[in-house]
Amino acid sequence: WLKLAGLCWSCRGAVELAMVPDAPLHGLRFSTSSRRAALVFCIATCLAASALGSDVLRAQGRTPGVHRYPRSIVVTPADWARLFPNKTITILQGTAPLALNLHSLGASAAAAADADGLGPSEAGTDYASAVSRAASGAWWAEDGSGLFGERVSHGFGIYNPSVVPAPEDGYLLVVVRVSNWHYCPSSGWDGNWSRVPHHEAQDRQFNRAVVALVRVADWQIVEAVPLSFPAARFRARFQEVQEGKVLSERVLEGPEDIRLYKSPGGQIWLLFTFRTIFLAPLHFHFCRGARNCMPSVAMGAEGLIEFSPEALVNSLHRAPGAFKNFNLARFLDEDTTIVEFSMNPRVLLHVDLRSGLWYQVVETQINRFPVFLISKHFYRGGYCCVGPVPWRQMQVSLGVAHIKFNRYIFLHRFYVVRTAPPHDVLAVTPEFCLRLAGPANGAPWLASLGEGCESVQFIAGLALFAEDGLALTAGINDCESAFLTFSLRAILQLLVPVTSSITWQRDGIAALEVAPAPSPAGLRPFFRATQALQRLSRLPPKIEDADSVLLWVQRFADAASRPCSPSEAVGMAAQRPSENPVSQFAESSCVEHAQAEAERLLPKIRKLCSSSQVFRRPEDVRKALLLAKAGFQQLSLPEAASTLASALAESMERQLDASKGRTSAGSFRLAESRGLLAALIWEAGPAEAAATYDRVAAQLDLAGALASAAAAAAGTSDERGRAEDLQRAWVRTASLVRGIRGNIAARSSDTTAGEPIGSPDMLGTPNLDVQTSVDRRAGLSLADFWTEYHTKRRPVVITDLAPLFAEATWENVQSLCGSMTVIPDEYLPRARSWARLIRGGLSWDGRVWNLSAWMQEVRAGRTPLHLGVFDKGLGRRDGTGCPELLRRLRVPAYFAHDLFKRPPRRLTKALAAANFTADADPFRGHPSLFVQAPGFRSGLHADTLASNFWQVNLQGRKLWTLFTIEPELQEVVLHKTFYASTEVVASGPSGPKDAGPRVEVKWGTTFPEDLLLPPKFSSESEARAVAARYGRVDVVVGPGETIYIPGDMPHRVTCLGPDDGADSAEPCLSLSMNFIDATSARAAAGRLRESAALSFAGDRRNTLQLAAILEREHSLEVPPSSAALGTGADGGPLWDWSQGNIQLKS
């Protein structure tokens, strides 16, 4: 009965597949009408097999008290007879001319060192040192420390080898996997499992690979070198799960089960597994005894291609247990190949090696193929293909595939395939196994098992040599390697002809010639993604390509943030700060090329992502367009992003209009969709058209009505409250949008708006209180600062505060704060972002800097002018700030009335009553640091939340360009524009399955720099006209000077260099702080309410509550203590961290 239960359990996969209509079952197809017969047949097979018995696990319990390896080590002929009494299993025995183990690999390195004539005493160069290490066995230490970097406690295996002809005639390349996960006899394990707790021995699984050069003439390993690969790219957490139970969790590192292939031009490729399938070129150089030569073997990460299940047509083939063991079946040319997913059914994929695009082209099925119903796997893996070889007056390709059953037992078949489409299988051999190929079978505790085959025989390589030679490599029990040779003619004689049928084929495939993109297209994931999307857009559209299109749009969006970075650098974004960061910047030509490539792709990607022939569901159209738009946003191409926003808005509007009459429980989701549609319409623009805001407001009105209907139909109080919050949000947003629309109309009716700058009609524009200069003051009393500047919203430069910052020199900042991690900001004129700055930007490769390295490169003049450290917070105690510097500085008393850092008692109580913590301070990280090269500039912007701020210039000279128009007039006079931007914040779905990526609406304000900041004035009258109309003032702030800027005042800042007329090119170092005090509390509350409205979401109660609390603090009265304190330089407060957040203390 136990045997019956076990066999029925092993058959469960066949039962499950048989119940799926038209599901492939290891070569058989069960139609809907035959499901019942298939189930009966499977159960009958179980009952018949149970009568025969099963004794496959021969290694268990042989010696009383000793728990042997819990898998079958050897399957004997008697076992095969009991398992399959009516079948013949062929046992092949080849010649083993070559050993692949630690000793043979190490011996080859020692021989190379001897041939070179270098010994340990001569190791005076890097090369000699490396050869010395090889000769002394450092790589090949028996404890694994040479290959793994540390001693492994329970041994390791050298197994699953692959082989390919080397570029030079007479040699083969062999790769072996080296792993510390399995417990192997050859590593000293004695088979006593009680000494090794299963799944607990290692918390890190290392996978390494060694590539060896083999000379065929005498079957000698000439040289062996470990493979280098980007470790950060191939490292992940891994869970081992069996039958739904998590047995262990560990770190997995390194490629698994590498197969070798050679292109027509001689390029060697690696095909391997790491959670999914990867293809990469191999770069190698062997010395073979040459003097002054360093051998190297490395994975070419620049050509890395990652396969994922999306492009497979049959969903059953996408399962984790099936998506593995690919074969590179045939090179069509140097840049194109056919990859085999499985042998039967034979699923073939077309792969473009330049772009990495792959898609399924055909599936063929062998007619009446004999199968084992007790196996839940189809024929796959092995190695394909070698040739051409002659068979029945035709040239064919030869491959080998395996089938696995009872979890650990492998059988194989050779097969030959047609070399022309549809590349179907023409003949197969009977099932076979290899006669005891593993060297460890000579161990005493295994010798008693007798003749037969090891249960795990993982064939992963074939190679032709000489006239009739076939080399075959196989892994044995995940521990050892076998290198065997056979007569090719003898193998071909075993073949039995079969016929195949096409079960799926892509129609209308034409030659997809895309001109190779200029450098660096072959090196960058971004350029490869654009090439792939171009090719996809030229394929005949098919529903089966929907997942593939989504995959490549996602890759395009992911790579767009770092378009000029190699793939291995992008994966290092969270690694330790770079100590040698000079090479981290991309040339501007690369960034421009990336933007141009994306803009050329825009029409194709819009058509591809909107196609109803590719996407059946509106949700998939939404997801594709959102992801594509995210890519253009990352590239700072707002016009292109707006084009895709418009396409998505049109699609959503058609879909939602069809549901306009629905007021059921689904109204809540429809209300959210209407809100997103409103944001998309706003994003698509045009921003200057009043009609845009009319359409946005109309959609928000519909969203509010749907939210009201959802609240009325809600089944619970939580659902009703959520719907009511959403309805109130749409009302707030619609009101604000209509206000913006009114300002747009007022702007368009301004009679002077169309006049050219400098015309007489623009001079002396009435009713505008603008400044024409900025005062420079010393000895300014606090009372005068408050009444003359602070409450009147006038900027001022204060010249006598340098003593408060005497210790903030360049050297002290670099020494005290040098370990801080920083990410530079990039100024991009086309960016739709605050100050037109992008954190990191397109020229940065994703690696983190430390401040000391950045300052060193800035001072040396090696940083691009458009990159700078901007507003880096110093006031945090979480390891990202610099309290050591701030303890040595004093804040000017002019700016010491920060409501959050020095709150009055009433505000403290109000914040506590509303459960606000120190995180409620929007500028809790301030003061902040600026480190920039001469020539760096920001875009025109106003600081957030109408906050006031001050900045002390510690080194260098800065040009401040201010616009002193009052905030309420900026939309009309300065053409201040609000923009909305829908941004993907998570790639996975939220809510219902396949609902698409989670999206939130972000917003900001921008000013037209081409209008307000012309490169230069043609005349003095033009400069006066701009100053009069727009309130423009330019002021230079030198070392030791402090500038105060009132809230909501637009400004641009430039670190002056020789190109700006400065006498020197000194870098700029500044310290700044934003703050909200009583004078700006009401304006800050208004900005918080704007933020709540423009977030296009429901519950923003915390934001609105904080706005109400702040508004109660509004006052323009001079603080009573100001007069008594004298000037701001008399003794400002110290920084204090006693409360866990930066505070100001007198």
Side-chain angles (χ1 to χ4, degrees), residues 477-554:
N477 288 326
D478 288 346
C479 284
E480 302 169 312
S481 295
F483 186 102
L484 304 175
T485 60
F486 296 89
S487 163
L488 176 61
R489 281 191 295 268
I491 297 300
L492 295 178
Q493 288 173 3
L494 296 174
L495 291 168
V496 178
V498 296
T499 60
S500 299
S501 300
I502 297 175
T503 54
W504 186 91
Q505 186 174 22
R506 183 179 290 274
D507 299 323
I509 292 293
L512 298 174
E513 290 302 326
V514 177
S519 177
L523 305 178
R524 314 295 187 189
F526 172 78
F527 292 96
R528 303 184 77 185
T530 58
Q531 290 281 299
L533 286 168
Q534 285 188 40
R535 287 177 172 268
L536 270 173
S537 70
R538 298 181 64 181
L539 284 174
K542 295 183 74 68
I543 291 294
E544 290 88 348
D545 291 330
D547 288 338
S548 188
V549 172
L550 287 172
L551 167 71
W552 281 101
V553 173
Q554 177 74 69

Side-chain angles (χ1 to χ4, degrees), residues 426-712:
L426 299 173
V428 298
T429 67
E431 294 92 350
F432 71 88
C433 63
L434 304 172
R435 180 183 178 275
L436 292 182
N441 285 301
W445 64 279
L446 286 172
S448 62
L449 296 176
E451 295 296 323
C453 305
E454 293 91 354
S455 61
V456 178
Q457 295 184 333
F458 188 88
I459 298 176
L462 294 176
L464 301 174
F465 67 94
E467 183 178 347
D468 184 45
L470 177 67
L472 179 149
T473 55
I476 304 298
N477 288 326
D478 288 346
C479 284
E480 302 169 312
S481 295
F483 186 102
L484 304 175
T485 60
F486 296 89
S487 163
L488 176 61
R489 281 191 295 268
I491 297 300
L492 295 178
Q493 288 173 3
L494 296 174
L495 291 168
V496 178
V498 296
T499 60
S500 299
S501 300
I502 297 175
T503 54
W504 186 91
Q505 186 174 22
R506 183 179 290 274
D507 299 323
I509 292 293
L512 298 174
E513 290 302 326
V514 177
S519 177
L523 305 178
R524 314 295 187 189
F526 172 78
F527 292 96
R528 303 184 77 185
T530 58
Q531 290 281 299
L533 286 168
Q534 285 188 40
R535 287 177 172 268
L536 270 173
S537 70
R538 298 181 64 181
L539 284 174
K542 295 183 74 68
I543 291 294
E544 290 88 348
D545 291 330
D547 288 338
S548 188
V549 172
L550 287 172
L551 167 71
W552 281 101
V553 173
Q554 177 74 69
R555 289 185 178 180
F556 166 79
D558 291 343
S561 61
R562 304 281 175 266
C564 295
S565 301
S567 56
E568 64 270 25
V570 174
M572 297 174 63
Q575 303 300 314
R576 69 182 63 180
S578 175
E579 299 297 336
N580 184 23
V582 180
S583 62
Q584 292 187 24
F585 304 117
E587 296 181 2
S588 60
S589 60
C590 176
V591 174
E592 292 166 1
H593 175 54
Q595 292 177 324
E597 278 284 293
E599 290 184 310
R600 281 195 293 270
L601 181 64
L602 178 62
K604 296 179 180 179
I605 204 171
R606 176 177 179 172
K607 181 179 179 181
L608 188 64
C609 294
S610 305
S611 174
S612 59
Q613 294 176 289
V614 175
F615 297 112
R616 281 199 182 100
R617 304 183 313 158
E619 293 85 355
D620 289 334
V621 173
R622 180 186 305 184
K623 182 176 182 180
L625 286 170
L626 280 171
L627 290 173
K629 188 173 70 69
F632 286 96
Q633 286 171 329
Q634 295 273 27
L635 289 165
S636 295
L637 298 173
E639 298 84 3
S642 295
T643 298
L644 294 177
S646 177
L648 181 53
E650 291 172 8
S651 172
M652 287 187 65
E653 196 161 12
R654 286 194 301 268
Q655 178 195 358
L656 292 173
D657 285 347
S659 309
K660 186 177 287 188
R662 291 173 55 184
T663 56
S664 62
S667 298
F668 184 81
R669 187 176 300 172
L670 291 174
E672 289 184 316
S673 296
R674 286 283 179 186
L676 175 59
L677 174 57
L680 288 166
I681 292 172
W682 193 346
E683 183 176 7
E688 295 291 319
T692 298
Y693 302 93
D694 291 336
R695 290 182 64 201
V696 173
Q699 293 297 330
L700 291 170
D701 290 342
L702 284 172
L706 287 165
S708 296

Side-chain angles (χ1 to χ4, degrees), residues 330 386-390 394-398 419 464 488:
R330 180 179 177 83
V386 297
V389 299
M394 68 176 74
Q395 295 294 308
V396 295
S397 297
L398 175 68
T419 58
L464 301 174
L488 176 61

Side-chain angles (χ1 to χ4, degrees), residues 248-270:
S248 62
E249 183 171 341
R250 63 183 62 85
V251 173
L252 175 67
E253 180 179 297
E256 301 177 337
D257 299 337
I258 297 175
R259 291 172 170 85
L260 295 176
Y261 298 90
K262 187 171 74 170
S263 74
Q267 172 65 56
I268 304 299
W269 287 83
L270 308 170

